Amino acid sequence: MDLHRVVLRLGASFFPELTNLVEFHGFQVLKPWESHLTLDSFLASHCRAVRALLVTGLVLVDAALLGNLPSLGLIVTTSVGVNHIDLPVCRSRGIVVAGAGDAFTGDAAEYTVGLLLDVLRRISASDRLLRGGVRGGPPLACKPWESHLSLDAFLASHCCAVRALLVSSLVHVDDAILEKLPSLGVIVTTSAGVSHIDLQACRRKGIVVTNAGDAFTGDAADYAVGLLLDVLRRVSASDRLFRGGFRGCPLLACQVAGKRVGIVGLGRIGSATARRLQAFGCIISYTSRTMKPSVPFTFFTNVRDLAAQSDVLMLTCALTEETHYIVNKEVLAALGKNGVVINVGRGALIDEKELVRSLVHGEIGGAGLDVFENEPKVPEELLHMNNVVLSPHKAVATLESQKGVCDLTVANLIAFFENKPLSSVWPKVWRLGRPVVAARIEMDEQRSVLLLGTSSFEGFTGLLEESHGFQVLEPWESHLPLDAFLATHCIAVQALLVSGAIMVDGSLLENLPSLKIVVTTSAGVMHIDLPACRSSGTIVLKPWESHLTLDAFLSSHFRAVRSVLVYGLIPIDRALLQKLPSLGVVVTTSIGLDHIDLPACWSRGIIVANSGDSYTEDAADYAVGLLLDVLRRISASERLLRRGVRGDVPLACRVGGKRIGIVGLGRIGSAIARRLEAFGCIISYTSRTKKPLVPFTFFTNVLDLAAEVDALVLACTLTEETHHIVDKEVLSALGRKGVVINIGRGPLVDEKELVSRLVAGEIGGAGLDVFEDEPNAPVELFRLDNVVLSPHAAVHSDEARQKMCNLIVANLIAFFENKPLSCVRRTVLLLRRDPFKDLAGPLESHGFCVIKPWESHLTLDAFLASHGGAVRALVVPGLFPIGKALLQHLPSLGLILLTSNGHNHVDLPACRRRGIFVTTVGNSYTDEVADYAVGLLLDLLRRVSASERLLRQRIPKAEPPLACRVGGKRVGIVGLGRIGSAIARRLEAFGCIISYTSRTKKPLVPFTYFANVLDLAAEADAIVLTCALTEETHHIVDKEVLSALGRKGVVINVGRGALVDEKELVRSLVEGEVGGAGLDVFENEPDVPLELLRLDNVVLSPHAAVLSEESVEAMCDHVVANLIAFFQNKPLSSVMEEGRTVLLLCRSPFKDFAGPLESHGFCVLKPWESHLPLDAFLASHGGAVRALVVPGLSPIGEALLQHLPSLGLILLTSSGHNHVDLPACRSRGILVATVGNSCTDDVVDYAVGLLLDLLRRVSASERLLRQRIPKADPPLACRVGGKRVGIVGLGRIGSAIARRLEAFGCIISYTSRTKKPLVPCTYFGNVLDLAAEADAIVLTCALTEETHHIVDKEVLSALGRKGVVINVGRGALVDEKELVTSLVEGEVGGAGLDVFENEPDVPPELFRLDNVVLSPHAAPLSEECLEAMCDHIVANLIAFFENKPLSSVVD
């Protein structure tokens, strides 16, 4: 053993495996507890050998112990803290001390949360009560009423009077009790579950049952997590041991993070539990009646499979016949020896005997039980186990939940007796007969659904009964005759589901006064009294078959139909649509839309939704299956075997290595490609456009593809272009061994030609799921063994059908609730062909339906009249004008995407009124335009183009024009935005001297700023125009500016032509009054003034500054990204005006807020620039306003807010908010944000300055000096040091004032809403006591109802004749009349006032007093404060429009 590797371990056997681990690495561990010697003797005998000390727990390592270890060099402690080690002695000895680092961080955090939950939720206390034999209800349970009568006698004496019954979950309400209460109409249970109530008996008697709704959700979820933490972290067990006097090693617990938690029942409580456990890093999975489509957790179809993949099983489901003993012996065995069961549902969810046995025998790891099978009894065996946490059904027992239940219970009772609707009532649907098929139910006249097609749609029945929670009443299960059954349940029934031809006549309807809807599963409706239904307002939904012709059927129901659900490929043409004037949506169960007249739908604004990707995987599987079947002769072999042929099977082909050509690489095509790659196939494809990120070979047409492949798989949609895309020529190219697989549409293939070649053996085989004349298939194919036929079954699977049903139901619900639909055709209008970039291709490759007017023979107006209704987004290449007339053709338009930076060609007010977003290309062109502007300047100054022209004209001995050096030139940039800044950076590198003008001065820019273009031009050799074209910048370069620029001056314009007065520029150039011009834009594009073409000092360009391969590609990517974001309801980039419209309520005299806001891309509305009064201005523009900036203290009341329906944010330029109607804002969900601490230091400085001025008589002395009063003695002042200053409101400002005044030697005291625990200043409970003990009071608190006139006559009297008042809060904090009186009469010593009660008015008496310092609410006014305030507002606006958290939001 190496004596240099001797480790002494101190501490009990906590972490027993630690010793083994240390010894395993070759260290000798000395263990004093194994020796008969005392510790001192043990250390004396080993002292020189010990080089390292391993301390387990908190064993004290002091100087005395260290003195016994002269060779010690290292102490390693298993704790995080080191307060049990004498660190100064270790440092003096050079001994290194190492702790446990962050090894315990997660565990300690979990345990802390567990302790918090344990203390707040009384988990350990409940566990002790239960173990101590206390079986009563939880501490918060109400005491039942006391009576000397037995329950039967009590009920007998009160039976007729009882209309309502209030019960807890511990009371069983069975048929026997209900028989004793003949007048009972409602049962209100304080529990979430209703398993203790005989619901069948209640139904028969027409008794309404209400539960606690979601009052307990949060509490039950908290408790479930608390039990889990307690069991895993041994909180209760440790608490019991500690209370019992045990001080040894704590119980070894398990970490919660990383645990796989399986939740049984992902309802409200289960979901809330999952959210909480995710924060601990748990991995969540679940089982539930149905799979939740929007839940990210893994779903298991049964509890056994869930248990096998979980460390913890959490039970939160309801108790039903199906869930009784859902956790049985098999499930517990699957959970395993380390598994834990947590039950906050119902005791009988678990086979309790099996659970006890498994716990006793160590077959599972532990349990946390709030409920038991035979409550209140608890199995005795559990009371003695440390791996079990027990609780007497108190998961929901909190003050908050009890109050919530009480409120809900009282509300339900009141509603019942007042004949109003109740909350948390189980919804009821009544079924007559035994239905085989259920039609979709809609509950009001505006939500009627017409079903077309023939399908079983079993999925809808499941959705009705399970997912949507309807309770079905079935009369045949009752002993009562139908009339009696109706009389019993009449009030409850709101929907009637009729199977077969049961008569629904006037007499039956009269027995159902609450009936709203009748649903029949039959073909006809002759058995229903339709006039009686209509007269009573009841809706009748008819399924897809009727004895009537379709025209007659539609004519009788046409006005009610809002949506059409199409099964299969039933054609929806213009004639049918005309019969449905109220139609708003067509939902088809297919992927393709070729059976729907899309132009007709678009012209009507009818939404068309397909089944999206419901079938993608199924269709892909089937396509691969068909290919495998054809190549490997699976079906052919099977047929031989069934016919008894046992000889040679047909020789098949290997799939691996085959060259597969896919026609249409969309979702299905891509899924097919992924699957076939795994077989070793070589994939190539053809599609409308080449896919940029796809590794497969692309062919531009099917013919070339077929010539290079062994099999052709058709997965594209059917359009005019793809009809018979596989024709005679393609089949010839495919060859004698080639195979065709078609899962798209039958007419994709010329079927006659295909059959002819298959019969003749000219192609190798075919797998066909679709046919040209469905459902008919060519009879010749039935005799061929190299053909596999399928009746359009590629998409038929249980999973696909369920997904499709869910999607259809969700889309119908979304339509009737005016929410976005899924899988809607994403229709984009590309207004004209872009000469530089094919925008249609990239858009179509991303799944957008692109409408191209130039491909139509119609005029644009006629084209838009026909197709405009479908257009959701508009892409505008170039500067095509977008005005009100064009927008009227596009009723569904929501987004306009410009391919330019400018937007002056778009009618933005019209867009704002319609709520249409407008986006530019952002900075896609920034570098290109900057490069081009510099290029124009270089060309012009260095005469590049002029020299080139001379050379091309081959003028002999022509002298090149004399050029100018660029370096040293003074360049003035008009508009220092993104492009202007990029130009400035480039020109700096040439040695140019940059100056600029812009809407506002840029704070961090080193260039000289000019307030206007005229002054800039006077100091520049060249001006570069990059600003936007607005009313203000129109002809910004006019005759005067050109004159200021001078004879050698140069104009470069890459902005907009109308920035320059073109006539004046032409005249100045012709007459030599300016030196030259580089023009990429013109006032009347594409026209260019002819005079310019003859000048050599002019460089002309046809608006090409933005054109480069890179910029056009970036523009295209930007447009596509914005379209994707728009259709996914995500934030857009580079949104103009409408999306980011800010109302600046008034002009600030101190700061131009508009400039910084506009420089960040916000559209700022300025009412003061309009001739309209404010109300008229808001009526015109208010609909677009998303955010409101309020300079000063302008009142924001309900009347103003009503003008701003889209308002979501109010930004104040003050710290206070008493001028804002906060209740009105809260009711509208409008956020209100102050400037936070932007002004804190300024207000603090000002408050201290007022106090100094007042006490030291600074202003008074200054006034005397300015008045030049001869030999006037200055007023006697007071020392500030030692003054007792009382601060009213110790928030940010008050605390900062206190810190500053402490430096002066002031004695600080304060009053505030609450005492500040860490503040060393004296606290007073009210202002009166504070004033009595202060020489000065400083007011910094907010103005509320409580603080209004907080300084009144009494306080001023307490302050005394020498006392001083400083107010930098709000004027109304002080009773101004009393203050003026006290000052005038000398009852207080002075006042420093920055605020007044009736601002801007100041009491005139104060002006005559020398012991008063007055200020016009200027405390927050400093350059730094205003800049910080502006930055704060801009940051909050950016955060608001990007859906990020805001700063300084008012609660």
Side-chain angles (χ1 to χ4, degrees):
M1 181 64 67
D2 185 355
L3 293 179
H4 287 85
R5 294 170 69 87
V6 177
V7 178
L8 170 66
R9 177 167 180 181
L10 295 181
S13 55
F14 183 40
F15 291 152
E17 68 279 4
L18 187 58
T19 299
N20 299 332
L21 186 62
V22 173
E23 289 177 335
F24 176 77
H25 284 86
F27 294 97
Q28 179 184 355
V29 181
L30 303 180
K31 310 160 192 169
W33 60 86
E34 294 182 352
S35 171
H36 64 281
L37 299 174
T38 63
L39 182 59
D40 287 344
S41 301
F42 185 87
L43 292 179
S45 64
H46 296 83
C47 60
R48 297 203 176 274
V50 176
R51 297 290 310 286
L53 176 61
L54 178 56
V55 183
T56 306
L58 299 178
V59 174
L60 186 64
V61 181
D62 55 11
L65 187 144
L66 293 171
N68 288 326
L69 302 171
S71 304
L72 189 66
L74 171 67
I75 299 175
V76 179
T77 174
T78 61
S79 66
V80 179
V82 291
N83 53 298
H84 55 298
I85 300 174
D86 192 334
L87 293 178
V89 174
C90 291
R91 289 193 198 101
S92 67
R93 287 265 304 276
I95 299 169
V96 178
V97 179
D102 61 355
F104 299 138
T105 301
D107 303 271
E110 291 166 1
Y111 206 79
T112 302
V113 175
L115 286 173
L116 177 64
L117 287 167
D118 197 313
V119 172
L120 294 180
R121 300 308 312 278
R122 300 287 195 268
I123 298 173
S124 295
S126 301
D127 181 79
R128 285 195 302 276
L129 284 173
L130 204 59
R131 289 175 186 273
V134 179
R135 299 293 188 270
L140 289 173
C142 299
K143 295 179 181 179
W145 52 88
E146 297 176 358
S147 172
H148 63 282
L149 298 174
S150 66
L151 181 60
D152 286 344
F154 187 86
L155 292 178
S157 64
H158 296 82
C159 61
C160 292
V162 176
R163 295 282 313 287
L165 177 61
L166 176 59
V167 296
S168 73
S169 62
L170 301 178
V171 177
H172 289 276
V173 182
D174 54 16
D175 196 31
I177 288 181
L178 296 175
E179 288 294 337
K180 295 181 173 71
L181 301 171
S183 302
L184 189 63
V186 65
I187 298 175
V188 181
T189 175
T190 60
S191 63
V194 290
S195 53
H196 56 296
I197 299 173
D198 187 340
L199 293 177
Q200 294 291 336
C202 291
R203 287 191 203 111
R204 287 195 299 272
K205 295 177 177 296
I207 298 169
V208 179
V209 178
T210 75
N211 64 358
D214 60 354
F216 298 138
T217 299
D219 302 277
D222 291 345
Y223 210 78
V225 177
L227 284 173
L228 175 62
L229 288 167
D230 198 316
V231 173
L232 293 180
R233 301 311 312 277
R234 299 288 194 263
V235 181
S236 293
S238 300
D239 178 82
R240 284 194 300 278
L241 287 172
F242 203 65
R243 289 176 185 272
F246 178 76
R247 296 296 184 268
C249 300
L251 296 169
L252 199 58
C254 298
Q255 195 170 59
V256 178
K259 285 288 180 290
R260 300 169 303 163
V261 180
I263 298 176
V264 181
L266 203 70
R268 287 190 297 254
I269 294 173
S271 299
T273 304
R275 285 197 302 274
R276 287 158 170 78
L277 289 174
Q278 275 187 299
F280 286 84
C282 295
I283 302 159
I284 309 297
S285 55
Y286 74 101
T287 185
S288 204
R289 284 177 300 188
T290 56
M291 185 176 180
K292 313 292 182 182
S294 58
V295 169
F297 314 133
T298 303
F299 172 70
F300 290 88
T301 56
N302 58 72
V303 179
R304 187 183 176 285
D305 292 345
L306 178 70
Q309 297 297 321
S310 299
D311 302 311
V312 179
L313 208 58
M314 182 84 66
L315 303 179
T316 65
C317 62
L319 177 62
T320 65
E321 290 183 5
E322 291 76 22
T323 60
H324 185 267
Y325 281 6
I326 197 170
V327 175
N328 52 26
K329 183 177 181 178
E330 195 176 359
V331 171
L332 292 170
L335 190 58
K337 295 178 73 70
N338 293 323
V340 170
V341 176
I342 306 294
N343 191 2
V344 291
R346 283 290 182 268
L349 294 172
I350 302 178
D351 184 339
E352 202 169 77
K353 288 183 180 178
E354 272 303 321
L355 176 64
V356 171
R357 189 195 62 75
S358 298
L359 285 165
V360 169
H361 290 90
E363 293 176 4
I364 65 169
L369 306 173
D370 183 55
V371 288
F372 305 93
E373 191 166 359
N374 300 299
E375 290 185 5
K377 295 178 182 178
V378 179
E380 288 292 326
E381 299 92 331
L382 299 181
L383 302 176
H384 311 295
M385 295 181 180
N386 273 334
N387 60 338
V388 176
V389 180
L390 308 173
S391 169
H393 205 144
K394 70 180 298 281
V396 298
T398 66
L399 291 170
E400 294 83 355
S401 67
Q402 294 291 339
K403 184 178 185 303
V405 171
C406 286
D407 292 344
L408 180 62
T409 300
V410 170
N412 266 339
L413 288 171
I414 292 171
F416 173 72
F417 286 106
E418 292 181 354
N419 290 318
K420 293 180 180 177
L422 280 68
S423 302
S424 303
V425 180
W426 294 58
K428 293 174 173 56
V429 175
W430 188 7
R431 180 162 54 194
L432 292 176
R434 296 179 181 271
V436 178
V437 180
R440 173 68 182 137
I441 293 179
E442 297 298 346
M443 293 301 292
D444 63 52
E445 190 172 350
Q446 297 303 310
R447 291 163 60 104
S448 304
V449 177
L450 173 64
L451 301 181
L452 295 181
T454 56
S455 169
S456 58
F457 278 110
E458 291 89 348
F460 287 128
T461 303
L463 289 169
L464 175 66
E465 294 178 338
E466 296 176 11
S467 302
H468 293 282
F470 291 103
Q471 182 179 347
V472 180
L473 303 179
E474 298 166 331
W476 61 85
E477 293 183 352
S478 171
H479 64 280
L480 298 174
L482 183 59
D483 288 345
F485 188 86
L486 293 180
T488 304
H489 297 83
C490 60
I491 300 296
V493 175
Q494 295 194 42
L496 175 62
L497 177 58
V498 185
S499 174
I502 292 177
M503 287 298 296
V504 180
D505 54 16
S507 61
L508 187 143
L509 294 172
E510 286 175 3
N511 286 325
L512 302 172
S514 303
L515 188 64
K516 294 289 190 298
I517 181 170
V518 178
V519 183
T520 175
T521 63
S522 67
V525 291
M526 297 300 293
H527 57 297
I528 299 174
D529 187 340
L530 294 179
C533 290
R534 293 194 187 101
S535 66
S536 63
T538 304
I539 301 163
V540 180
L541 272 83
K542 286 75 61 179
W544 42 89
E545 294 179 1
S546 173
H547 66 284
L548 299 172
T549 63
L550 183 59
D551 287 345
F553 186 84
L554 292 178
S555 64
S556 64
H557 305 289
F558 67 99
R559 293 196 185 279
V561 176
R562 297 282 313 287
S563 65
V564 170
L565 174 57
V566 188
Y567 180 78
L569 300 178
I570 291 179
I572 305 296
D573 55 16
R574 189 179 297 271
L576 187 143
L577 294 172
Q578 286 174 346
K579 295 181 174 73
L580 302 173
S582 304
L583 188 64
V585 66
V586 175
V587 181
T588 175
T589 63
S590 64
I591 300 173
L593 302 172
D594 51 283
H595 56 299
I596 298 174
D597 188 338
L598 292 177
C601 291
W602 295 336
S603 66
R604 286 264 304 278
I606 297 169
I607 300 169
V608 179
N610 66 1
S611 60
D613 62 354
S614 300
Y615 302 137
T616 299
E617 304 301 320
D618 304 87
D621 291 345
Y622 212 80
V624 175
L626 284 173
L627 180 65
L628 287 168
D629 198 317
V630 173
L631 293 179
R632 298 309 310 271
R633 298 290 195 261
I634 299 171
S635 296
S637 301
E638 200 250 8
R639 283 194 298 274
L640 286 175
L641 198 63
R642 286 182 181 274
R643 291 201 296 261
V645 178
R646 297 293 186 269
D648 294 334
V649 295
L651 198 60
C653 299
R654 176 184 290 170
V655 179
K658 285 287 182 290
R659 300 168 302 163
I660 310 295
I662 299 176
V663 182
L665 203 70
R667 284 193 299 256
I668 294 174
S670 299
I672 293 169
R674 284 197 305 274
R675 286 157 169 78
L676 289 176
E677 271 193 301
F679 284 83
C681 295
I682 302 159
I683 309 297
S684 54
Y685 73 101
T686 185
S687 205
R688 283 177 298 190
T689 56
K690 186 177 180 180
K691 310 294 179 182
L693 303 177
V694 169
F696 313 132
T697 304
F698 172 70
F699 290 88
T700 56
N701 59 71
V702 181
L703 182 62
D704 293 344
L705 178 69
E708 297 295 329
V709 299
D710 303 310
L712 210 57
V713 181
L714 304 179
C716 61
T717 57
L718 177 62
T719 64
E720 290 183 7
E721 293 77 21
T722 60
H723 185 268
H724 284 191
I725 196 170
V726 176
D727 54 12
K728 181 178 181 178
E729 198 173 359
V730 171
L731 292 170
S732 297
L734 191 59
R736 298 182 68 83
K737 293 185 179 180
V739 170
V740 175
I741 305 295
N742 190 3
I743 53 154
R745 284 288 185 269
L748 294 173
V749 181
D750 184 339
E751 200 170 78
K752 288 183 180 178
E753 195 59 45
L754 175 65
V755 170
S756 169
R757 288 180 178 267
L758 283 166
V759 170
E762 294 178 3
I763 64 168
L768 306 175
D769 182 55
V770 288
F771 304 95
E772 194 159 2
D773 185 29
E774 289 189 7
N776 301 316
V779 292
E780 299 93 332
L781 298 180
F782 291 103
R783 297 188 292 271
L784 300 177
D785 273 341
N786 60 337
V787 175
V788 179
L789 306 175
S790 170
H792 206 142
V795 298
H796 290 180
S797 73
D798 289 339
E799 294 83 357
R801 182 56 58 87
Q802 189 59 46
K803 188 173 181 181
M804 178 267 291
C805 285
N806 290 336
L807 178 65
I808 288 172
V809 170
N811 265 339
L812 287 171
I813 291 171
F815 172 72
F816 287 112
E817 293 181 355
N818 292 316
K819 294 180 180 177
L821 277 70
S822 303
C823 306
V824 174
R825 186 105 175 192
R826 302 185 303 172
T827 305
V828 178
L829 171 63
L830 186 56
L831 201 53
R832 66 180 183 183
R833 192 196 304 269
D834 191 298
F836 306 105
K837 177 68 179 177
D838 171 26
L839 292 174
L843 297 180
E844 289 174 331
S845 70
H846 283 83
F848 297 105
C849 171
V850 181
I851 300 178
K852 310 162 195 170
W854 64 86
E855 294 183 351
S856 170
H857 63 282
L858 298 173
T859 64
L860 182 60
D861 285 346
F863 183 87
L864 294 180
S866 172
H867 297 80
V871 175
R872 298 286 313 287
L874 170 64
V875 179
V876 187
L879 301 178
F880 194 100
I882 308 298
K884 191 183 298 186
L886 187 143
L887 294 175
Q888 285 174 346
H889 285 297
L890 307 172
S892 304
L893 188 65
L895 172 65
I896 297 175
L897 299 120
L898 308 180
T899 62
S900 62
N901 271 316
H903 51 84
N904 52 293
H905 54 300
V906 179
D907 187 339
L908 290 176
C911 292
R912 285 191 210 115
R913 285 192 295 273
R914 285 268 304 278
I916 299 168
F917 289 99
V918 179
T919 69
T920 66
V921 292
N923 59 1
S924 300
Y925 299 145
T926 299
D927 288 332
E928 276 71 22
V929 176
D931 293 346
Y932 211 82
V934 174
L936 284 174
L937 181 63
L938 288 168
D939 193 315
L940 192 63
L941 293 179
R942 299 311 311 269
R943 297 291 194 262
V944 179
S945 294
S947 301
E948 200 250 9
R949 281 196 300 276
L950 282 176
L951 199 63
R952 286 182 179 276
Q953 292 165 4
R954 299 180 180 178
I955 298 175
K957 299 180 181 180
E959 293 287 338
L962 198 60
C964 299
R965 176 184 291 169
V966 178
K969 285 288 182 290
R970 300 169 301 163
V971 179
I973 298 175
V974 181
L976 203 69
R978 285 191 300 257
I979 294 173
S981 299
I983 292 169
R985 285 197 304 275
R986 286 159 169 78
L987 290 177
E988 271 193 300
F990 284 83
C992 296
I993 302 159
I994 309 297
S995 55
Y996 74 100
T997 185
S998 204
R999 283 177 296 192
T1000 57
K1001 186 177 181 181
K1002 311 294 180 181
L1004 303 177
V1005 169
F1007 313 132
T1008 304
Y1009 171 71
F1010 289 90
N1012 57 70
V1013 180
L1014 183 62
D1015 293 344
L1016 177 72
E1019 297 296 326
D1021 301 312
I1023 56 173
V1024 182
L1025 305 176
T1026 68
C1027 61
L1029 177 61
T1030 65
E1031 290 183 5
E1032 293 76 21
T1033 60
H1034 185 267
H1035 284 191
I1036 197 171
V1037 175
D1038 54 11
K1039 182 177 181 179
E1040 197 173 1
V1041 171
L1042 293 169
S1043 297
L1045 189 61
R1047 299 179 67 82
K1048 295 185 177 180
V1050 169
V1051 176
I1052 305 293
N1053 191 3
V1054 290
R1056 284 289 183 269
L1059 294 172
V1060 181
D1061 185 339
E1062 202 170 75
K1063 288 184 179 178
E1064 273 302 322
L1065 176 64
V1066 170
R1067 188 195 60 75
S1068 298
L1069 285 165
V1070 169
E1071 296 180 6
E1073 294 179 4
V1074 294
L1079 306 175
D1080 183 54
V1081 288
F1082 305 94
E1083 193 160 0
N1084 300 299
E1085 290 187 6
D1087 298 333
V1088 180
L1090 294 178
E1091 299 91 332
L1092 298 181
L1093 302 177
R1094 296 189 290 269
L1095 298 176
D1096 271 343
N1097 60 339
V1098 174
V1099 180
L1100 307 175
S1101 168
H1103 206 142
V1106 300
L1107 299 178
S1108 73
E1109 289 184 10
E1110 295 84 356
S1111 70
V1112 171
E1113 200 61 45
M1115 175 270 290
C1116 188
D1117 292 343
H1118 188 83
V1119 168
V1120 169
N1122 263 342
L1123 276 171
I1124 291 171
F1126 172 71
F1127 283 107
Q1128 292 180 355
N1129 293 316
K1130 293 181 179 177
L1132 300 153
S1133 301
S1134 310
V1135 179
M1136 280 307 303
E1137 298 215 351
E1138 187 282 330
R1140 292 161 62 96
T1141 302
V1142 179
L1143 172 63
L1144 187 57
L1145 197 55
C1146 59
R1147 190 199 303 267
S1148 172
F1150 307 106
K1151 177 69 179 175
D1152 171 25
F1153 288 106
L1157 297 180
E1158 289 173 331
S1159 70
H1160 282 83
F1162 297 105
C1163 170
V1164 182
L1165 301 181
K1166 309 162 195 170
W1168 62 87
E1169 293 184 350
S1170 170
H1171 64 283
L1172 298 172
L1174 183 60
D1175 284 348
F1177 183 87
L1178 294 180
S1180 173
H1181 298 80
V1185 174
R1186 298 284 312 286
L1188 170 65
V1189 179
V1190 187
L1193 300 177
S1194 299
I1196 307 299
E1198 195 162 358
L1200 186 141
L1201 294 176
Q1202 285 175 347
H1203 285 296
L1204 308 173
S1206 304
L1207 187 65
L1209 173 65
I1210 297 174
L1211 295 143
L1212 308 179
T1213 61
S1214 61
S1215 293
H1217 50 77
N1218 55 292
H1219 55 301
V1220 179
D1221 188 340
L1222 290 179
C1225 292
R1226 288 192 195 105
S1227 68
R1228 284 266 305 277
I1230 299 169
L1231 299 175
V1232 179
T1234 66
V1235 291
N1237 58 2
S1238 301
C1239 306
T1240 299
D1241 288 333
D1242 302 270
V1243 175
V1244 168
D1245 294 344
Y1246 211 81
V1248 175
L1250 284 174
L1251 181 64
L1252 288 168
D1253 193 315
L1254 194 61
L1255 294 179
R1256 300 310 310 269
R1257 296 290 194 263
V1258 179
S1259 295
S1261 300
E1262 202 251 7
R1263 281 197 300 274
L1264 285 176
L1265 199 64
R1266 287 186 177 274
Q1267 291 166 4
R1268 300 181 180 178
I1269 299 176
K1271 299 180 182 179
D1273 292 326
L1276 198 59
C1278 300
R1279 177 183 289 170
V1280 178
K1283 284 288 182 290
R1284 299 169 302 163
V1285 179
I1287 299 176
V1288 182
L1290 203 69
R1292 285 192 301 257
I1293 293 173
S1295 299
I1297 291 171
R1299 286 196 301 273
R1300 283 163 169 76
L1301 289 177
E1302 279 187 310
F1304 285 82
C1306 295
I1307 303 158
I1308 308 298
S1309 55
Y1310 74 99
T1311 186
S1312 203
R1313 283 178 298 189
T1314 57
K1315 187 176 181 181
K1316 311 293 181 182
L1318 302 177
V1319 171
C1321 314
T1322 304
Y1323 171 71
F1324 289 89
N1326 57 69
V1327 180
L1328 184 61
D1329 294 344
L1330 178 71
E1333 297 296 328
D1335 302 312
I1337 56 172
V1338 182
L1339 304 177
T1340 67
C1341 60
L1343 178 61
T1344 65
E1345 290 183 4
E1346 292 75 22
T1347 60
H1348 184 267
H1349 284 191
I1350 196 171
V1351 175
D1352 54 13
K1353 182 176 182 178
E1354 198 173 1
V1355 171
L1356 292 169
S1357 298
L1359 189 59
R1361 300 180 66 83
K1362 294 185 177 181
V1364 169
V1365 175
I1366 305 294
N1367 191 2
V1368 290
R1370 284 289 183 268
L1373 295 172
V1374 180
D1375 184 341
E1376 202 170 73
K1377 288 184 179 178
E1378 277 300 327
L1379 176 63
V1380 170
T1381 300
S1382 298
L1383 285 165
V1384 169
E1385 296 180 2
E1387 293 176 2
V1388 294
L1393 306 175
D1394 182 54
V1395 289
F1396 304 93
E1397 193 160 1
N1398 299 299
E1399 290 186 6
D1401 299 332
V1402 179
E1405 300 92 332
L1406 299 180
F1407 291 109
R1408 297 189 290 270
L1409 300 176
D1410 273 341
N1411 59 338
V1412 175
V1413 180
L1414 306 174
S1415 168
H1417 206 141
L1421 299 179
S1422 72
E1423 289 185 12
E1424 296 83 356
C1425 168
L1426 291 171
E1427 201 61 48
M1429 180 195 305
C1430 191
D1431 292 344
H1432 186 84
I1433 287 171
V1434 168
N1436 261 344
L1437 278 171
I1438 291 171
F1440 172 71
F1441 284 108
E1442 292 181 355
N1443 294 316
K1444 294 180 179 176
L1446 279 71
S1447 302
S1448 311
V1449 176
V1450 179
D1451 295 332

